[in-house]
Amino acid sequence: MKAMTIDEVFARAVQLHQSGRFAEAEGMYRQVLAQRPSHADAIHLLGLIAHQTGRSGVAADLIEKAIAINPRAADYHINLGVVLASSGRREEAVAAYRHGLMLKPDHVDGTYNLGVTLLHLNRAEEAASAFREAITLNPRHAFAHYALGNALKLQGRLEEAVASYRQALALKPDFAEVYARLAAALGEFGRFDEAVAAYRQAISAKPDFAEAYSSMGHFLGELGRPREAEAAHRQALELRPDVGEYHGNLAIVLAQLGRSQDALQACRMAVTLKPKYAGGHNNLGNVLRMLGRAEEAVDAFRGALALRPEFTEAWNNLGNALLNMARLDEALEAYRKAMELEPRDPLLHSNVIFTMNFHPAFDAPAILQETRNWNQRHAKPLKHLIRPRANNRDPGRRLKVGYVSPDFREHVVGWNLLPLLRHHDRQQVEVFCYSSVKSPDAMTEQIRACCDQWREMIGLGDEPVAERIRQDAIDILIDLSLHTSSNRLRVFAMTPAPVQITYLAYCGTSGIDGMHYRFSDPHLDPPDVDLACYSEQTIRLPETYWCYAPGGKAPDISPLPADRNGYITFGCMNQFAKASPATVELWCEILKQVPGSRMLIHAPPGKHLQTIGNHLSRHEIASDRVQFVGSQPWDQYMASYHRIDIGLDPFPYNGGITTCDALWMGVPVVTLSGQTAVGRGGRSILTNVGLANLVALNPVEYVRLATELAGDPSRLRELRRTMRDRLTASPLMDGPRFARNVEAAYRDAWRRWCGGI
């Protein structure tokens, strides 16, 4: 048989190489080089085999040797780029790609690979240019369209990224990973329904796509569909039970379903499988906080931050847990750290503002200034989205009134709002509710039954919500959140309605230019208060800011506890965040002046309660005279008042509905009127039930009123016996009267707008 020539040996080696028979091909390339050491193509291809068999260092050396022999071979430079990029030498890879493309500018794969490497280097703008060039060279390059979407997303250009993903899918409809990226981008827009649909398509293309199931579960949870979310997360875990993140994601949904113990178990599994998974520790903290184990929650959040110091969500959640424990300075520090990491997030800034209301160091002007900072940072950039309004300026026509809230549920907002909605005059008012409730309940259904139009806004971004309100031609738009969690103040910044009013979340100020009015009453903002501490015009409802309805069927009022106990029990069932050091000091003084008295305080368990113990020690009061009760179901919470003779209102942030609950259970409350509207809530409520004589104007009087009441058991018995009737007969529980007052305020504000005032 005739021996093969060198060229024939080389050709045979190439065939073997292309068929994946690398060892045989390598042997033949070496035969070629034994006879022709400067055969650049053989050296180059030998380098590719080294790369394909995991010997990247050898591969780079060989290809560089080939380049030295033939420096104008574009493919050599581009393949060197591939080898260098795969071994992590990305800057060198970029240089190699650029050299090759200088020699052959129309090299599609080289252009695409350059973009991929630049993207790995976080040079997204340069990467996008490379991908666009690859698409120009080959418009049907699906991977280039996909990669361009990734580069655009990194630049925050989400609309363009979505368009690129859709183009990639038009070219390659079974491209599961692109569906997943498209879904994630849609999710960032708040278009959760579309995101879920895209994940379903990803799963259709790739049925074992565990990550798509898990991510779809997240968005189903955001849409308030927790049972579907649970099913998706469990499918992800069936496919990949070893992934800690998937257990953590399941935990979030289980917590949303109220299955806290199951959620805790899922969190523990997540951190067991992946101890350095910061998200798992963060989820664990959230569940522990939900269970009232605030101290453990703080430890979990700090564990997450030790693993990932720039974890914005964990800083924010740490702030929430610290606020629960009344560690206000630390809470503010955590919230501000979250703000520093993500300055564009308005809700993080809102948490700072809300917490300032609890802190005695911040007066009304200081809080106003921070809200104006919020306005400057988060509202003013939306001015270009403000549209002209074409509402009919007839001052006497039926008004469209829209209520905006994430709290149309078992929540103080839901309980307060229900009497107003039930008694609205439907001849005068058409009621719209814009709901972002994640976990609807029986209260949600009651509220929904009281409105003319229910708009489900969960999963929608602020701009689509504002646009829907414009389409509905709402005349008066009511914010029910102010700076509490999940607020929609950015919607109000776009002024989709001609008259916008903030009400009910707490009596404060939004600070935003687009909020025209705030509701108050003559006691929350007496005539001598400087209304310049609010950015809105203040509308004082004639009697009361609140209209109270118990959250369910309450227990009967019990006999005075002191008669069976032989001692007075004071109590405060407000959230523990309101237990400022100054408040606790006065409580201790009261306990000291009323021998043998006890106190019941609502508080999560933990080491933070030692601060109460320290106050007691300084006053030489035995620690067993104070007891604590954690979070309870509503009926058990109301039954706790069977143990309390006298309620003590906290300050500088008084109780609101909690004070009404105490009165409903026959418990009189002593309050201290403060320097902010939230510090005069007790004054408003007690004045409206004819108990202004329990409103103190200074700390000394607060102690005196409490001790005098404790020393008058006959008065306590009479108050307890008559309190429910007193509350029922007051403006606080006259729903029709309250609704007429609110509607009169709406009509007056509307007429002012119609008149151009």
Side-chain angles (χ1 to χ4, degrees):
M1 179 183 289
K2 180 182 175 183
M4 289 192 294
T5 67
I6 292 299
D7 289 341
E8 288 172 334
V9 172
F10 177 74
R12 178 58 180 156
V14 170
Q15 289 176 343
L16 293 167
H17 188 170
Q18 290 173 342
S19 64
R21 294 161 68 178
F22 296 146
E24 295 171 73
E26 182 173 351
M28 297 190 80
Y29 286 140
R30 293 195 182 281
Q31 284 182 43
V32 171
L33 291 171
Q35 295 186 48
R36 196 180 296 172
S38 62
H39 196 302
D41 283 345
I43 297 170
H44 168 238
L45 293 172
L46 194 58
L48 289 186
I49 287 180
H51 171 62
Q52 289 162 325
T53 54
R55 296 170 288 155
S56 294
V58 172
D61 290 342
L62 286 167
I63 297 174
E64 284 172 347
K65 185 176 178 182
I67 289 170
I69 296 168
N70 184 5
R72 297 197 58 78
D75 284 351
Y76 295 3
H77 293 278
I78 286 166
N79 286 334
L80 176 62
V82 171
V83 171
L84 293 169
S86 70
S87 58
R89 296 160 63 183
R90 294 193 177 105
E91 291 289 358
E92 296 171 76
V94 167
Y97 287 134
R98 290 202 190 283
H99 200 136
L101 291 169
M102 215 165 45
L103 296 166
K104 190 176 181 182
D106 61 349
H107 197 300
V108 178
D109 288 343
T111 307
Y112 169 75
N113 288 336
L114 170 63
V116 171
T117 305
L118 288 166
L119 200 57
H120 279 300
L121 288 166
N122 290 317
R123 290 156 63 177
E125 191 170 346
E126 294 175 75
S129 295
F131 295 134
R132 285 196 182 95
E133 181 61 27
I135 290 166
T136 299
L137 294 167
N138 178 7
R140 300 191 61 78
H141 197 313
F143 287 92
H145 286 284
Y146 166 48
L148 175 59
N150 293 339
L152 291 166
K153 187 171 180 290
L154 273 178
Q155 294 176 72
R157 296 160 64 177
L158 290 178
E159 286 283 9
E160 295 171 77
V162 166
S164 288
Y165 292 142
R166 293 198 189 282
Q167 184 60 44
L169 290 166
L171 295 165
K172 188 174 169 56
D174 61 345
F175 204 158
E177 287 74 13
V178 183
Y179 281 117
R181 289 298 183 102
L182 171 63
L186 291 167
E188 288 193 40
F189 275 121
R191 290 154 62 179
F192 297 156
D193 275 318
E194 294 176 72
V196 167
Y199 278 123
R200 291 198 193 284
Q201 288 176 296
I203 291 163
S204 177
K206 185 179 176 183
D208 62 348
F209 200 165
E211 184 180 348
Y213 277 110
S214 184
S215 297
M216 182 172 72
H218 165 72
F219 287 117
L220 286 166
E222 290 295 314
L223 284 166
R225 293 155 62 182
R227 297 194 185 284
E228 293 175 74
E230 180 187 0
H233 288 310
R234 292 201 182 280
Q235 183 63 46
L237 284 167
E238 186 174 323
L239 292 164
R240 291 292 308 277
D242 58 329
V243 179
E245 288 91 337
Y246 297 171
H247 289 275
N249 293 341
L250 173 63
I252 294 170
V253 172
L254 293 172
Q256 194 177 341
L257 285 165
R259 290 157 56 188
S260 301
Q261 291 298 335
D262 290 343
L264 185 61
Q265 183 178 354
C267 285
R268 301 252 187 240
M269 178 61 75
V271 295
T272 298
L273 286 169
K274 194 170 182 181
K276 293 189 177 181
Y277 168 36
H281 292 274
N282 180 60
N283 291 339
L284 175 60
N286 281 330
V287 173
L288 288 166
R289 191 170 76 88
M290 182 180 297
L291 288 166
R293 294 158 63 175
E295 192 76 39
E296 294 173 78
V298 165
D299 290 341
F301 294 133
R302 292 202 188 281
L305 291 166
L307 293 166
R308 193 167 133 202
E310 296 190 351
F311 193 172
T312 305
E313 184 183 342
W315 279 111
N316 185 63
N317 290 333
L318 174 62
N320 293 338
L322 291 166
L323 179 61
N324 289 159
M325 295 189 289
R327 290 161 59 177
L328 302 181
D329 289 319
E330 294 172 82
L332 283 170
E333 182 181 352
Y335 287 141
R336 287 192 171 117
K337 179 63 177 177
M339 268 181 65
E340 177 187 319
L341 291 168
E342 189 48 77
R344 295 178 301 173
D345 190 328
L347 296 178
L348 300 177
H349 198 169
S350 284
N351 285 342
V352 170
I353 293 166
F354 183 55
T355 304
M356 290 171 71
N357 285 275
F358 293 84
H359 202 302
F362 299 103
D363 58 12
I367 294 169
L368 172 65
Q369 182 57 55
E370 195 60 43
T371 65
R372 297 302 284 166
N373 293 343
W374 192 101
N375 179 67
Q376 186 69 30
R377 182 177 293 181
H378 307 293
K380 284 197 171 180
L382 303 173
K383 284 183 71 174
H384 68 286
L385 297 171
I386 297 173
R387 306 279 186 269
R389 292 171 295 273
N391 300 62
N392 179 357
R393 288 182 182 262
D394 178 353
R397 68 174 173 80
R398 186 188 188 204
L399 298 175
K400 290 184 173 183
V401 177
Y403 294 93
V404 181
S405 180
D407 296 318
F408 296 131
R409 56 187 175 90
E410 294 284 348
H411 184 276
V412 290
V413 168
W415 296 327
N416 263 291
L417 188 66
L418 195 55
L420 172 61
L421 296 185
R422 280 178 173 160
H423 296 289
H424 262 316
D425 181 351
R426 297 308 173 84
Q427 300 300 310
Q428 297 296 317
V429 173
E430 182 180 3
V431 175
F432 290 69
C433 283
Y434 297 89
S435 171
S436 299
V437 178
K438 284 189 178 180
S439 299
D441 54 27
M443 175 65 74
T444 308
E445 292 310 308
Q446 289 185 64
I447 292 171
R448 187 168 186 160
C450 291
C451 68
D452 298 290
Q453 302 291 338
W454 181 268
R455 301 287 188 248
E456 195 59 73
M457 298 290 105
I458 186 120
L460 290 183
D462 293 327
E463 288 183 45
V465 172
E467 184 55 35
R468 185 56 194 264
I469 291 165
R470 286 190 200 99
Q471 291 172 2
D472 287 335
I474 296 299
D475 301 308
I476 297 178
L477 191 66
I478 313 299
D479 161 55
L480 298 172
S481 300
L482 211 53
H483 285 283
T484 59
S485 63
S486 303
N487 69 69
R488 290 284 196 169
L489 287 177
R490 280 166 46 90
V491 169
F492 287 81
M494 299 175 220
T495 57
V499 177
Q500 301 191 151
I501 304 172
T502 187
Y503 168 56
L504 203 55
Y506 62 93
C507 193
T509 184
S510 69
I512 67 174
D513 298 334
M515 197 71 75
H516 308 119
Y517 299 98
R518 60 180 287 274
F519 276 166
S520 184
D521 70 29
H523 316 292
L524 289 168
D525 285 299
D528 60 342
V529 165
D530 181 6
L531 298 180
C533 64
Y534 309 115
S535 62
E536 308 85 357
Q537 292 186 56
T538 295
I539 297 175
R540 291 184 178 92
L541 297 172
E543 296 165 309
T544 173
Y545 179 83
W546 289 279
C547 189
Y548 176 67
K553 181 172 172 50
D556 292 336
I557 294 174
S558 70
L560 190 70
D563 286 342
R564 66 174 182 272
N565 294 330
Y567 53 81
I568 290 290
T569 301
F570 298 99
C572 180
M573 300 301 288
N574 283 272
Q575 58 174 300
F576 191 67
K578 296 183 177 182
S580 66
T583 298
V584 177
E585 272 296 302
L586 291 192
W587 289 348
C588 288
E589 184 61 33
I590 291 166
L591 288 172
K592 191 173 182 179
Q593 292 196 25
V594 181
S597 60
R598 304 283 195 275
M599 186 158 187
L600 185 66
I601 300 173
H602 175 241
K607 296 176 185 175
H608 61 284
L609 297 182
Q610 186 55 46
T611 59
I612 304 286
N614 295 339
H615 283 280
L616 293 171
S617 295
R618 283 198 297 274
H619 286 268
E620 299 181 344
I621 298 169
S623 60
D624 62 1
R625 290 177 63 186
V626 174
Q627 293 184 325
F628 301 97
V629 60
S631 296
Q632 306 169 95
W634 187 83
D635 55 343
Q636 293 178 32
Y637 149 70
M638 292 297 274
S640 296
Y641 287 105
H642 289 162
R643 301 168 61 185
I644 300 171
D645 298 289
I646 301 169
L648 297 178
D649 211 8
F651 57 89
Y653 195 144
N654 294 166
I657 288 298
T658 310
T659 299
C660 294
D661 289 339
L663 299 176
W664 188 247
M665 293 305 297
V667 178
V669 177
V670 176
T671 191
L672 175 58
S673 184
Q675 301 304 306
T676 60
V678 297
R680 294 186 287 266
R683 174 178 180 166
S684 174
I685 292 167
L686 293 173
T687 302
N688 270 290
V689 295
L691 291 174
N693 56 1
L694 294 181
V695 179
L697 299 180
N698 56 64
V700 172
E701 190 176 9
Y702 180 82
V703 174
R704 179 179 63 78
L705 290 175
T707 55
E708 286 179 356
L709 189 57
D712 192 344
S714 61
R715 184 182 174 200
L716 282 173
R717 291 187 199 101
E718 181 63 12
L719 284 171
R720 198 173 189 91
R721 186 183 67 81
T722 61
M723 191 68 77
R724 193 169 284 188
D725 290 339
R726 181 192 290 266
L727 188 58
T728 302
S730 76
L732 284 164
M733 293 191 71
D734 191 334
R737 179 169 158 188
F738 180 76
R740 300 298 80 76
N741 288 336
V742 169
E743 288 164 358
Y746 288 164
R747 183 64 63 181
D748 183 61
W750 175 249
R751 286 180 178 134
R752 289 171 65 83
W753 183 77
C754 290
I757 300 174

